[in-house]
Amino acid sequence: MLKTIHLLIFLFAFQLVSAQDTNKKLDSLNAILSKIKNDSLRSLEYQKLINLNRKANPKLHYLIIKQHLCELQTTTSNSGRGKLYRELGINYRNQGKLDSSLAYYNKAKLIFEKLKDTLNIAKTQSSLANVLKAKGDYEGAITNIKQSISFFKNFEDKLPQAIVLNKVNLGGIYVFIKDWENADKYFLEAFNHPFIQKTPSALNSVCINLVSTKTELNEFTEALKYASIAEKTEKRPKSLANLNNNIGIIYEKQNNYQRANSYYKKSLELNQQLNNKNGIIKSYNNLGNNARKWKQYNQAETYLLKANRLLEEADNLNSLHFNYQMLFTLYYEKKDYKSAVKYSILEKQLKDSIITIEKQKAIADFEVAYETEKKEREKNIAQQQLLISQLENTKNKNLLYSALVISGLLLIAGLFYYSRLKAKKKAEIITLELKETQKRLALEKQYKDSELKALKAQMNPHFIFNALNSIQDYIVLNQKNLASDYLGKFADLIRNYLHFSDTGFISIPEEVHNLKLYLELEKLRFEDALDYQVTVDDKANSEAIKIPTMLIQPYVENALKHGLLHKKDNRKLSISISKPSEKIIQCIVQDNGIGREKSKAINQKRQYQHKSFALKATTERLDLLNYGKERKIGVDILDLKYEDEATGTKVILNIPIVNK
C-alpha cells in the first residue's frame, strides 16, 4: 500500500514538472517570437516550430497551434487558419481522438473550398480519408481519396508522389474490404508509376501487395512474378517473412506442397529471429496445414501442436480456432477419431466463446458511442448556456449605458440568435433520427443472416439422417463387403460436407464432385438400377464461379425419392450445368420418373406420410438468399408428359453468379 502511494506521488510530481517544463518552453518561444515584428516572418517561424514539435512534443505542438490561431483571429489570413486547423486534425489523430480530428479536418476543408485552394483541399481530403478509414467508414475514405487524386492531377509535375501514394492507400482500403479486383487495379497503377520504380522501398511494398491480390484472384503466375521482384531487393526481415509466407500460400494453392513447405520454413526462421510470436504461430499453422495436404501426417501433427502450445499462452482466439479446425481435420484423416472428437469439441466451444465475446464487444461499443454522444450533447448545452449567460450580461451592461434604441436592437439580435439555435437543434434531431434508422436496418440485416445460418444448420443433419437410414437398409439387405464400400463413400461425402458446412458458397467443380459422390451412393442403394449423367459446360466449370452450398442436392434427392424410387427399371436421371450468360449459371435436373401427381397419390395412401424436409428447407432458404437482392435465384419445376401420361419431372435452377 505504501509503495502504491509513493508511486502515485511520483507520477503526479512528474506530470506537474512536465507541464511546468512545457509552459517554460512556450514562454521562452513567445519571448523569441515577440521580437519578430514582421507578420510573414513570424508565421514562418511558427510553422517551423509546429513541424519540429509535431511528433517530438504533441502537447507543445497543440499549444503553439492554438496561440498562432489566436494571433490570426485579428488578421485576414484565412489560408493560414485552414492550415492550422489541419495541424490540429493531425494532433488529435496522433492522440487517437478521431472525432475531434475529423471536425478540424472538415473546418480546414471548408476554408480551402471557399478560397478554391485545390492543392490544400487535396492534402486535407487525403488526411480525412485516413481518419475515416480508422473509424471504419470505408466508403467515405474511398470517396475522399478519389477526390484527392483528381485534385492532385493539377500538380503532378510538382508533386508526382502525391497521386501514386494516394493510389497505394486506396488499394489498401480495398484490400481491407476484400474488393480484390479494385485493390489489384490501383496497386498495378502505382507499380507502373516512375516514382515507385525509382524508390526501392516503395516498389517492394507495392509488389508484396500485388502478390496478395494476384493470389486472391488466382493469378498465380503473375503473383510469383511480383514476388520475384520483391525477393531480389527486400531487406527488411518482417516484410521478407510476410513475403515468404505469401509465396508459400501460392505454391500450396498450386498443390506444390514441397516448395510451399520451403517458403513457410523461411518465414518461420525470420519470425523466430524477430521474436514475432504471432508470426511464428502463423508459420506453424501454415506448415502443419500444408504437411497435412502433403500427407505428411506426423510432420503436420508436430507443427500444429507447436502452434497450439503457443496459442494457449497467447490471446489470439481466431488463430486458435483455425488451429483446432486443422487438428480435427488431421486426426480425422489419420483415423484417430478420439483425438478428432476432442478437437472438434474444443473448436465448437471456442467458436461459441468468440461469438459471445463479439456480442459483448458490440454491446460495449454501443454503450461507449451512446456515452460519447451524451457527453458531447451535455458539453454543447453547457457551452450554449455559457454563451447565453455572457450575452445576457452584455445585454444588462448595455442597458445601463445605452438608450432604448440600442435595447431594441439587442432584442432583435437575441431573437435572431434564438431562431438560429432552434434551427440547429432541429438539424441535430434529424441527424439522430437518421442514425437510429441506419442502426435499425443494420440489425434487420443481422437478423436475416442469423436466420439463414440456422436454417442451413438444420439441412445438414437432415441429409446425414437420410444417408444413415440408407446405410442401415443396405447392411441388412446386402453383403458386408459392399456395405463397407458404401460406408467408405459415405465417409468421403460426410468429410466434404463437414469441410463446406461453414461456408455459404461453393465452386462449381466442388459441387459437381459432391453430387457425383452422392449419386454413387444412391446407385448402390438402387442396386445399380439407376442410370445418371452429369454434364458441365466448359464455361461454367471454373473455381472462380461460386453458388450457394448444397443448393442442387435436395432437388436431385427429390427426383430419386419421389420420381424414380417408384419405378422398377429404366430409371434415368440427368444433371446439366451451363453458363447461358455472363451473369447466370443454369442447372437442369431431369428424371423419367412417375411424375409429381402420381407420387403425391402414392404418399397419400400411406399411413405414414413422408414430409420432404430438405425441399421445404431449400424453399425457405431460397427466400432468405433472395431477400433484398436485385438478382434472385429462380426455380421452375415442369411436369413432363406425353399424350397426357407423365414421363418425368424437370427442375430448372437459374443462379446468379457470385465471384468470391
Side-chain angles (χ1 to χ4, degrees):
M1 184 68 183
L2 190 60
K3 288 182 178 179
T4 306
I5 294 170
H6 287 164
L7 179 62
L8 290 171
I9 293 170
F10 172 76
L11 289 173
F12 176 75
F14 177 80
Q15 289 178 348
L16 186 63
V17 170
S18 177
Q20 289 174 348
D21 185 53
T22 301
N23 290 331
K24 284 180 181 178
K25 285 183 180 179
L26 188 63
D27 291 340
S28 176
L29 293 173
N30 285 336
I32 295 169
L33 290 168
S34 63
K35 295 177 181 178
I36 304 172
K37 301 302 181 184
N38 185 286
D39 290 341
S40 299
L41 290 175
R42 192 160 60 253
S43 290
L44 286 173
E45 289 302 317
Y46 265 117
Q47 193 57 51
K48 288 178 184 177
L49 291 169
I50 288 168
N51 294 337
L52 184 66
N53 290 283
R54 187 180 290 123
K55 291 183 178 178
N57 192 337
K59 188 172 182 181
L60 187 59
H61 174 251
Y62 173 82
L63 293 172
I64 293 169
I65 295 168
K66 281 291 188 180
Q67 181 165 314
H68 194 20
L69 265 173
C70 288
E71 288 188 10
L72 288 180
Q73 295 300 328
T74 57
T75 70
T76 57
S77 181
N78 289 324
S79 178
R81 279 200 295 276
K83 290 175 183 177
L84 289 173
Y85 284 145
R86 192 168 67 219
E87 282 292 337
L88 282 172
I90 294 169
N91 186 279
Y92 281 117
R93 187 188 69 195
N94 291 339
Q95 295 180 58
K97 298 177 180 178
L98 301 180
D99 289 329
S100 297
S101 175
L102 202 62
Y104 279 109
Y105 279 140
N106 281 320
K107 279 186 176 182
K109 184 182 170 186
L110 284 172
I111 289 173
F112 295 135
E113 283 175 344
K114 286 180 182 178
L115 297 172
K116 297 182 180 179
D117 185 346
T118 53
L119 177 58
N120 277 306
I121 292 171
K123 289 179 179 178
T124 307
Q125 285 191 298
S126 184
S127 300
L128 258 172
N130 289 326
V131 177
L132 291 169
K133 178 184 174 184
K135 284 174 67 65
D137 183 0
Y138 303 113
E139 186 178 346
I142 289 168
T143 300
N144 275 278
I145 289 183
K146 285 184 175 179
Q147 290 176 353
S148 176
I149 290 171
S150 66
F151 282 128
F152 272 128
K153 284 180 180 176
N154 300 322
F155 307 94
E156 195 163 7
D157 54 335
K158 296 178 182 178
L159 297 167
Q161 73 275 18
I163 292 176
V164 70
L165 292 177
N166 269 284
K167 286 183 177 180
V168 173
N169 197 8
L170 184 56
I173 295 173
Y174 280 122
V175 165
F176 204 85
I177 61 175
K178 299 187 186 305
D179 185 347
W180 305 111
E181 290 183 358
N182 272 317
D184 187 66
K185 170 190 169 185
Y186 286 104
F187 287 142
L188 275 175
E189 288 180 10
F191 175 81
N192 293 319
H193 196 280
F195 173 78
I196 295 294
Q197 291 293 328
K198 293 176 184 177
T199 313
S201 59
L203 179 63
N204 289 338
S205 296
V206 171
C207 284
I208 291 170
N209 281 318
L210 280 167
V211 171
S212 298
T213 57
K214 294 295 183 186
T215 302
E216 292 293 339
L217 294 170
N218 294 325
E219 297 176 15
F220 301 128
T221 305
E222 288 290 298
L224 288 172
K225 181 183 85 173
Y226 293 110
S228 176
I229 295 170
E231 266 189 302
K232 291 175 184 176
T233 54
E234 183 57 72
K235 302 297 181 187
R236 295 167 294 180
K238 189 173 182 180
S239 296
L240 268 175
N242 290 332
L243 178 61
N244 284 319
N245 182 68
N246 289 339
I247 296 171
I249 291 170
I250 296 168
Y251 283 120
E252 184 182 332
K253 286 189 174 185
Q254 291 181 317
N255 300 329
N256 190 342
Y257 303 122
Q258 188 171 356
R259 295 204 71 178
N261 185 66
S262 67
Y263 277 100
Y264 284 145
K265 280 187 175 179
K266 288 180 184 178
S267 179
L268 175 62
E269 288 171 5
L270 288 165
N271 281 317
Q272 286 173 334
Q273 290 172 16
L274 293 166
N275 197 24
N276 180 3
K277 194 168 185 178
N278 285 331
I280 293 168
I281 290 168
K282 187 176 183 180
S283 295
Y284 278 141
N285 270 336
N286 287 338
L287 280 163
N289 192 38
N290 183 67
R292 178 190 63 79
K293 292 180 180 178
W294 197 9
K295 307 298 183 185
Q296 305 288 323
Y297 292 128
N298 291 335
Q299 194 176 2
E301 184 177 22
T302 301
Y303 286 128
L304 289 173
L305 288 175
K306 282 183 178 181
N308 185 264
R309 283 192 290 272
L310 290 171
L311 280 164
E312 286 177 352
E313 299 171 4
D315 185 19
N316 193 334
L317 296 182
N318 288 324
S319 291
L320 184 59
H321 181 255
F322 175 74
N323 181 261
Y324 283 154
Q325 285 180 324
M326 291 303 99
L327 282 166
F328 162 71
T329 307
L330 170 66
Y331 286 122
Y332 190 87
E333 290 182 6
K334 287 181 70 177
K335 299 184 179 178
D336 182 355
Y337 299 120
K338 184 177 179 181
S339 298
V341 168
K342 171 189 170 184
Y343 285 104
S344 176
I345 292 169
L346 287 171
E347 184 266 337
K348 186 179 184 305
Q349 289 173 345
L350 185 62
K351 187 176 181 180
D352 292 340
S353 299
I354 291 170
I355 291 169
T356 303
I357 290 167
E358 286 175 351
K359 285 181 179 178
Q360 289 174 347
K361 185 178 181 298
I363 291 168
D365 289 343
F366 279 128
E367 289 176 349
V368 169
Y370 173 77
E371 288 298 326
T372 303
E373 289 176 5
K374 183 180 176 183
K375 287 179 181 178
E376 193 67 30
R377 285 196 299 271
E378 289 174 352
K379 181 182 175 182
N380 289 337
I381 291 168
Q383 288 176 344
Q384 289 164 6
Q385 288 175 344
L386 178 63
L387 185 59
I388 291 168
S389 176
Q390 290 172 347
L391 288 172
E392 286 177 351
N393 288 335
T394 304
K395 180 181 175 182
N396 290 333
K397 287 180 182 179
N398 290 336
L399 284 172
L400 295 172
Y401 305 103
S402 304
L404 290 173
V405 175
I406 297 174
S407 299
L409 290 173
L410 286 174
L411 182 61
I412 293 169
L415 290 171
F416 178 73
Y417 176 77
Y418 175 77
S419 65
R420 285 189 63 189
L421 188 64
K422 190 176 179 181
K424 185 180 178 182
K425 282 285 184 184
K426 188 176 180 181
E428 286 177 356
I429 291 168
I430 292 169
T431 303
L432 286 171
E433 287 176 351
L434 181 60
K435 285 181 179 178
E436 289 297 324
T437 302
Q438 290 172 342
K439 288 177 184 176
R440 180 176 57 79
L441 291 173
L443 287 171
E444 285 179 4
K445 182 179 181 301
Q446 186 180 357
Y447 169 76
K448 289 294 180 185
D449 289 343
S450 299
E451 192 175 359
L452 182 59
K453 286 180 181 177
L455 184 56
K456 182 168 163 284
Q458 290 178 336
M459 290 178 67
N460 290 334
H462 173 73
F463 169 71
I464 293 169
F465 174 75
N466 284 347
L468 288 174
N469 277 342
S470 299
I471 290 171
Q472 185 182 29
D473 292 342
Y474 198 77
I475 290 172
V476 172
L477 298 174
N478 293 279
Q479 298 175 6
K480 290 183 179 180
N481 57 341
L482 293 177
S484 175
D485 181 46
Y486 192 96
L487 281 169
K489 290 184 178 181
F490 172 68
D492 290 340
L493 186 60
I494 290 301
R495 186 182 298 112
N496 288 344
Y497 283 128
L498 279 173
H499 178 70
F500 294 111
S501 62
D502 287 335
T503 60
F505 293 86
I506 188 172
S507 70
I508 294 292
E510 289 166 339
E511 181 73 359
V512 169
H513 173 72
N514 291 338
L515 284 173
K516 286 181 178 178
L517 194 54
Y518 170 73
L519 286 168
E520 284 180 30
L521 295 174
E522 290 292 355
K523 187 171 182 178
L524 286 172
R525 192 168 69 85
F526 276 79
E527 297 181 353
D528 290 332
L530 171 67
D531 291 331
Y532 66 85
Q533 184 179 13
V534 182
T535 57
V536 185
D537 192 312
D538 290 340
K539 293 180 181 178
N541 196 18
S542 169
E543 291 286 346
I545 298 175
K546 307 286 184 182
I547 64 173
T549 306
M550 282 188 70
L551 181 64
I552 301 171
Q553 188 271 341
Y555 295 100
V556 176
E557 179 186 345
N558 201 56
L560 293 172
K561 290 196 173 183
H562 299 289
L564 297 174
L565 185 63
H566 302 296
K567 290 190 72 174
K568 293 183 180 180
D569 55 10
N570 190 28
R571 298 181 176 115
K572 292 184 179 179
L573 175 71
S574 69
I575 302 169
S576 64
I577 299 174
S578 61
K579 186 182 177 186
S581 73
E582 291 300 317
K583 296 182 178 179
I584 293 292
I585 287 293
Q586 186 176 79
C587 175
I588 299 174
V589 180
Q590 183 172 338
D591 66 78
N592 67 340
I594 62 173
R596 289 192 294 171
E597 292 180 6
K598 194 177 261 187
S599 175
K600 184 178 179 181
I602 291 170
N603 286 331
Q604 286 175 347
K605 289 178 182 178
R606 294 177 179 175
Q607 290 182 356
Y608 172 73
Q609 184 177 344
H610 172 69
K611 295 182 180 179
S612 180
F613 172 80
L615 197 57
K616 177 176 177 291
T618 301
T619 304
E620 293 176 5
R621 184 183 177 209
L622 284 177
D623 292 338
L624 290 172
L625 286 169
N626 288 331
Y627 179 80
K629 301 288 176 62
E630 184 179 346
R631 293 161 51 207
K632 304 181 186 295
I633 300 171
V635 182
D636 292 319
I637 303 177
L638 307 176
D639 294 313
L640 304 178
K641 293 186 178 182
Y642 180 73
E643 295 182 353
D644 293 330
E645 185 175 347
T647 60
T649 307
K650 185 176 185 179
V651 179
I652 303 172
L653 282 165
N654 290 310
I655 310 164
I657 292 176
V658 178
N659 294 311
K660 289 283 175 179

